[in-house]
Amino acid sequence: MAKKSFILQGITPKTHAQAVRELFDVPDIKKVILSVAFVSESGVKQIENQLKAQAALVTVFAGIRNDITSYQGLALLRNIGVKLYTVDTGSRNVIFHPKLYLVRGKTTARFVVGSANLTLGGLNNNIEAGLVIDFDLSDTNDKGVVDEIETQLTSLPTEYPDHVVKAGTIAGLNKLLASGRLVDEMAITPPRPSTSATGTGSTDTTPRMKLKVTPIHRALAKAKAAPKKPNPPKAPVGTKAGTTALPPVPATIGIEFELVWESKPLTRRDLTIPDAKGTHATGSVNLDKGLLPEEVDHRHYFRDDVFPHLVWANRSATVDETYAKFQLVLKGISYGEFDLPIRHTTGTTSKAYKQKNAMTRLSWGPMREYVARPDLIGRTLALYRDKADPARFVLEVD
């Protein structure tokens, strides 16, 4: 008779990543079937070692045309060597949505079914519900259920040959990406909240929910400096920073954005709310190493790769200054777009430079009254760049 256990990820300390990895402890594995709506590279990496060890036995059904499943996620599955099928319903309003993971051995089978997709959120960060079932294949009823799961899924390519298609080549994935049925994780949709606020958000004091699972941040790739455009829009250097005339609603400028930097947990100093006696608010946040890859030198990265499209001027002998437009999103609510100054220390012989301190600083300017809030401590700051107009950015604290 089947044994069952329940996971409420985040509320209980066990994650779906742990549960799925434990599926592969089944002895004498004969078949592995994964069926998910959404796939991301960071999600696949959570179970990459287990998939590699049994790649010849693994079949994955992954939904596409859903604005979430990524080229990078499917490319990693393909490179691991699993049998990969994409499921395209031909509609954005009807998507392939089952989330289940089955490992079948000779005498036992283990099954996870619930809300968890093959993404970092699904397997670790989100609050997700799932049921883990251990089947005894010597039991007629248990075997019948496992056979039914396997039959229903493996018959999909035959029943729906135009919609359930084997993804055998990178060229095929390239076509899906070009047609918009996969997303590019390097061209992220930034926060585009449906809500906006006219105040500073001081009435929204809801702290971040403290779960029993530590969030995992996906790997952050280094931004590539796009070719400079002639005469990009900007605020004149030396003018006083202030809000633009834009109303406090999401400023949807381009279609694709790049996540170019993400901070470590924000401190009181970052948010200009120091509490130590005699400590003064700096009014700025350091653009430091954050979660950048180890090989990226943050001392030059922001000046050379993130902000090369802006017009810089000498503020002093060792400091350059520029302005850029930043939309501010706090906990999913937009507070409009602001012109903010950015300052970069150019010298490379100082003690601070040699100690690999931050050389680039973003002044909060008029944003300070929005971000100087204790409920934002410990959250992360993400910086997105508009690919259509790389002189405009989104700042999100979440």
Side-chain angles (χ1 to χ4, degrees), residues 54-367:
Q54 303 293 340
L57 303 175
V58 178
T59 301
V60 178
F61 296 93
I64 62 173
R65 201 193 291 265
N66 53 35
D67 294 329
I68 295 178
T69 296
S70 74
Y71 171 88
Q72 287 84 357
L74 296 193
L76 179 53
L77 284 172
R78 186 259 175 199
N79 291 337
I80 288 172
V82 306
K83 184 184 293 185
L84 173 63
Y85 289 93
T86 57
V87 185
D88 184 354
T89 67
S91 170
R92 288 170 56 84
N93 295 317
V94 178
I95 64 173
F96 183 73
H97 211 245
K99 281 84 74 172
L100 56 89
Y101 306 79
L102 174 69
V103 176
R104 181 172 189 159
K106 185 176 180 180
T107 60
T108 59
R110 190 168 288 168
F111 184 57
V112 174
V113 62
S115 64
N117 277 296
L118 191 51
T119 62
L120 190 56
L123 294 183
N124 189 88
N125 293 351
N126 296 341
I127 299 175
E128 304 276 3
L131 191 64
V132 182
I133 306 174
D134 286 326
F135 291 103
D136 178 0
L137 297 182
S138 66
D139 182 282
T140 303
N141 291 331
D142 282 10
K143 183 178 182 299
V145 173
V146 174
D147 287 345
E148 182 69 9
I149 295 168
E150 185 177 323
T151 299
Q152 291 284 355
L153 289 170
T154 56
S155 65
L156 289 175
T158 302
E159 291 192 44
Y160 300 93
D162 294 332
H163 303 89
V164 184
V165 179
K166 188 174 182 180
T169 65
I170 290 296
L173 296 181
N174 288 336
K175 290 180 180 179
L176 293 176
L177 177 63
S179 66
R181 286 178 284 175
L182 295 176
V183 303
D184 181 357
E185 292 188 24
M186 296 304 295
I188 314 167
T189 300
R192 291 182 182 174
S194 58
T195 55
S196 60
T198 56
T200 63
S202 57
T203 58
D204 176 15
T205 58
T206 307
R208 187 165 187 165
M209 192 171 181
K210 293 182 179 179
L211 303 177
K212 295 181 176 67
V213 173
T214 302
I216 298 174
H217 292 275
R218 73 177 184 87
L220 178 63
K222 178 179 181 291
K224 295 180 180 178
K228 292 185 179 181
K229 294 185 176 182
N231 302 319
K234 64 189 71 64
V237 173
T239 60
K240 184 178 179 181
T243 57
T244 67
L246 296 177
V249 295
T252 304
I253 305 148
I255 298 174
E256 293 183 345
F257 288 68
E258 300 171 281
L259 176 62
V260 295
W261 179 72
E262 193 168 2
S263 74
K264 293 181 178 179
L266 293 169
T267 64
R268 285 183 170 273
R269 185 256 174 239
D270 296 325
L271 297 167
T272 73
I273 46 174
D275 57 358
K277 186 176 180 180
T279 303
H280 300 285
T282 63
S284 65
V285 60
N286 285 330
L287 300 181
D288 52 21
K289 186 70 173 181
L291 301 179
L292 289 168
E294 185 61 34
E295 66 273 13
V296 177
D297 188 344
H298 62 279
R299 297 171 298 180
H300 301 276
Y301 172 67
F302 295 96
R303 180 69 167 82
D304 297 342
D305 296 305
V306 176
F307 303 121
H309 314 86
L310 306 179
V311 175
W312 293 79
N314 298 123
R315 179 180 174 88
S316 68
T318 59
V319 176
D320 287 349
E321 181 180 61
T322 190
Y323 280 76
K325 294 183 182 296
F326 295 85
Q327 182 190 176
L328 176 65
V329 178
L330 303 177
K331 298 193 293 187
I333 298 174
S334 173
Y335 293 89
E337 193 173 61
F338 302 77
D339 292 324
L340 301 182
I342 307 162
R343 298 186 180 105
H344 176 77
T345 301
T346 58
T348 59
T349 59
S350 67
K351 183 178 180 181
Y353 181 87
K354 292 177 179 178
Q355 291 178 341
K356 296 187 177 181
N357 294 334
M359 295 291 105
T360 310
R361 295 160 300 286
L362 174 67
S363 293
W364 288 118
M367 273 190 193

